[in-house]
């Protein structure tokens, strides 16, 4: 049976349910925010099996790598320069940044990978990562201190740790990663 | 060279393409006994210096529109001579010294 507006009673009931669900979700978000402080949007990505996150506020874009021009005389973490829509982007190897002084396997072919362009305090660079998983909105209070088990030289690269995607994920400090 | 452009001598240093202002080039010498080795002598515009390279690729004219600043993230991570700009063309990317 159709109502006079042309929408069936079943359709009306479903719309009403969706409206209620939407209101309830919004109120739940507000309540969660009141309880745990402001939310942070984090971009979650992976290097191999290890997960990392960076605050979305510092992410300018995520790209697929194109031709990366090598640079002679640059530090080992510099993979090279890439033409990013008419701008020159410095691409850095996050693996090397996170393991300073350690021998890491040379960056494999860039095919299938991503470049996360991070900006902080007027500085910008692209970080080559294996995969980009998700954007997660988490209460700011869910950011825990950096795990004690992490090597101190590596620990300075992190703002904290968050539980996400079924594992503990290191929340990167954009400032530490961008500054040599 | 025209206003708003620069003529570059492009060389391959084995890792990347470098561009040197043609007006600064004194001469290019082939290194005896080392096939593919060249020595570019510079210094017409400033202090004399030499650059060893694997190959001399020729010259290219870059307009101001094809010149970009060196990203800060790279500038901080280069030891030795630092490029003053990056040439960005459809043919490739050159570090300008």
């Amino acid at each position: 049976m159709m109502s006079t507006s042309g929408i069936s009673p079943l359709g009306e009931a479903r719309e009403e349910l969706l409206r209620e669900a939407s209101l309830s979700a919004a109120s739940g978000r507000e309540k969660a925010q009141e309880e745990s402080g402001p939310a942070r949007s984090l971009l979650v990505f992976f290097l191999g099996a290890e997960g990392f996150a960076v605050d979305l506020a510092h992410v300018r874009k995520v790209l697929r790598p194109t031709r990366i021009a090598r640079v002679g005389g640059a530090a080992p973490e510099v993979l090279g320069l890439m033409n990013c829509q008419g701008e020159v982007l410095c691409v850095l190897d996050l693996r090397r940044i996170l393991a300073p002084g350690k021998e890491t396997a040379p960056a494999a072919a860039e095919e299938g990978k991503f470049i996360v362009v991070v900006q902080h305090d007027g500085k910008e660079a692209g970080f080559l990562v294996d995969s980009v998983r998700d954007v997660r909105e988490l209460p700011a209070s869910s950011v825990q201190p950096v795990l004690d088990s992490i090597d101190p030289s590596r620990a300075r690269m992190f703002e904290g740790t968050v539980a996400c995607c079924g594992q503990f994920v290191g929340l990167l400090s954009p400032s530490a990663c961008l500054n040599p | 060279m025209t206003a708003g452009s620069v003529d570059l001598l492009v060389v391959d240093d084995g890792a990347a393409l470098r561009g040197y202002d043609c007006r600064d080039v004194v001469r290019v010498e082939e290194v005896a006994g080392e096939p593919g080795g060249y020595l570019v002598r510079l210094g017409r515009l400033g202090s004399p210096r030499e650059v060893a390279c694997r190959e001399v690729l020729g010259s290219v004219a870059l307009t101001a529109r094809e010149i970009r600043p060196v990203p800060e993230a790279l500038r901080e991570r280069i030891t030795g001579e630092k490029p003053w700009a990056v040439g960005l063309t459809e043919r490739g990317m050159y570090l300008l010294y």
Side-chain angles (χ1 to χ4, degrees):
Chain A
M1 191 171 84
M2 300 289 282
S3 72
T4 50
S5 63
I7 302 173
S8 69
L10 186 61
E12 277 178 19
R14 283 177 178 169
E15 280 193 14
E16 184 59 30
L17 267 176
L18 285 171
R19 263 195 300 275
E20 269 182 42
S22 157
L23 284 172
S24 160
S27 125
R29 272 198 301 271
E30 279 167 18
K31 197 176 167 198
Q33 195 157 325
E34 275 167 24
E35 283 170 0
S36 56
R40 290 184 73 172
S41 297
L42 307 178
L43 178 76
V44 181
F45 58 87
F46 280 78
L47 287 175
E50 198 174 0
F52 298 91
V54 64
D55 197 310
L56 206 54
H58 300 294
V59 177
R60 201 171 143 228
K61 51 184 135 181
V62 178
L63 308 163
R64 285 287 194 184
T66 55
R67 215 175 84 191
I68 296 175
R70 290 192 298 153
V71 178
E77 70 266 25
V78 176
L79 289 172
L81 297 175
M82 195 178 97
N83 180 351
C84 173
Q85 294 157 340
E87 288 174 42
V88 177
L89 177 72
C90 180
V91 182
L92 300 175
D93 185 350
L94 191 56
R95 272 195 176 84
R96 280 206 181 256
I97 290 173
L98 294 176
K102 285 187 187 163
E103 278 301 310
T104 57
E110 288 96 25
E111 204 177 316
K113 297 189 176 183
F114 291 89
I115 290 174
V116 178
V117 183
V118 173
Q119 203 171 37
H120 182 266
D121 212 11
K123 251 180 224 179
E124 180 180 284
F127 294 98
L128 188 69
V129 305
D130 293 337
S131 62
V132 173
R133 175 68 61 89
D134 207 352
V135 172
R136 289 290 172 98
E137 198 155 305
L138 298 171
S141 60
S142 67
V143 178
Q144 302 298 314
V146 178
L147 299 175
D148 289 338
S149 55
I150 293 181
D151 183 80
S153 64
R154 186 178 156 121
R156 74 171 196 89
M157 297 295 169
F158 298 97
E159 268 182 47
T161 308
V162 288
C164 175
C165 305
Q167 63 172 273
F168 284 114
V169 163
L171 175 59
L172 290 172
S173 155
S175 166
C177 291
L178 283 171
N179 291 292
Chain B
M1 179 176 162
T2 60
S5 73
V6 61
D7 291 323
L8 299 171
L9 179 73
V10 179
V11 304
D12 180 351
D13 70 1
L17 300 183
R18 291 166 166 248
Y20 293 92
D21 192 323
C22 282
R23 295 170 302 164
D24 197 30
V25 177
V26 178
R27 66 175 178 272
V28 178
E29 296 169 10
E30 198 168 350
V31 180
E34 287 190 31
Y38 294 86
L39 199 64
V40 180
R41 293 192 189 276
L42 303 150
R44 272 191 208 282
L45 300 177
S47 52
R49 62 198 202 280
E50 299 169 352
V51 178
C53 63
R54 200 175 65 179
E55 207 174 338
V56 176
L57 299 172
S59 69
V60 64
L62 290 191
T63 65
R65 290 179 61 178
E66 293 171 312
I67 293 172
R68 301 285 187 280
V70 179
E72 190 63 23
L74 174 66
R75 186 185 297 280
E76 293 175 338
R77 290 175 169 87
I78 286 191
T79 49
E81 192 181 13
K82 293 185 193 293
W84 64 270
V86 180
L88 187 61
T89 72
E90 285 176 3
R91 300 174 299 279
M93 204 181 281
Y94 316 99
L95 290 164
L96 311 190
Y97 291 88

